[in-house]
Amino acid sequence: MAFSADELRVLRRALANALHPAPLPDEDVRDALRLAASVDEAVREAGRLRAFLLDDLARYREALPGSLPGYLGLLEDALADGYDPAADDLAALRALRGNPAAARLLARCQVLAERSVRARLARVSQATASAPAVSRARLLALPGGRAAEEPRPKPPTPTPAERPVPKPSEVFPPRRRPVPPPPPEERVAG
């Protein structure tokens, strides 16, 4: 992202004010708000452009092998932008590894994909390591644990005063066949 000289001046004043707080004139506040809005719009536009490029990459990948030069160029641009190659990309490049450029890109994508997987696994292991320890009391319910040694309560026996379970024929009565309508009367033309 590049800033104009005017935007850099506004940014410098805002940073100076952050380091040494002092009341700002209204004009400086308006300039800072305009700069913040411009930066937000640039970030949104970058996100839209990235989504478009990734959709374009998927379209080129689906049209392979006819779109090989375009696909390789788009994939290189996406990788330079920080894209982690997906499984579809790796499969497409494996199918095209007869092409020297595709083979080089496959080697690069495999390294990037492996780094990405290792980073995700590291995040997951850190998250599970920082999770609170699980109580071992849950293991008592396993067969052979202390729970097996304790006497189990017997299920209560139903008393005769309880209502009996209805039979299926009581709940779902049999269907009656519909009676066919009487034949229409013969009409006399007259």
Side-chain angles (χ1 to χ4, degrees), residues 83-152:
Y83 172 69
D84 284 332
D88 292 339
D89 295 313
L90 294 172
L93 289 171
R94 281 187 194 106
L96 300 168
R97 69 179 132 207
N99 181 308
R104 281 192 306 275
L105 203 51
L106 173 62
R108 180 178 171 197
C109 286
Q110 285 174 328
V111 169
L112 292 173
E114 185 176 334
R115 280 188 203 152
S116 175
V117 168
R118 287 182 190 273
R120 278 185 266 149
L121 287 175
R123 283 193 302 266
V124 168
S125 66
Q126 286 175 354
T128 56
S130 65
V134 177
S135 170
R136 294 195 53 108
R138 294 183 188 186
L139 297 177
L140 298 177
L142 293 175
R146 275 193 251 156
E149 297 169 7
E150 297 173 3
R152 293 186 180 153

Side-chain angles (χ1 to χ4, degrees), residues 12-25:
R12 190 183 70 219
R13 280 193 318 230
L15 290 173
N17 188 45
L19 292 174
H20 305 288
L24 286 175

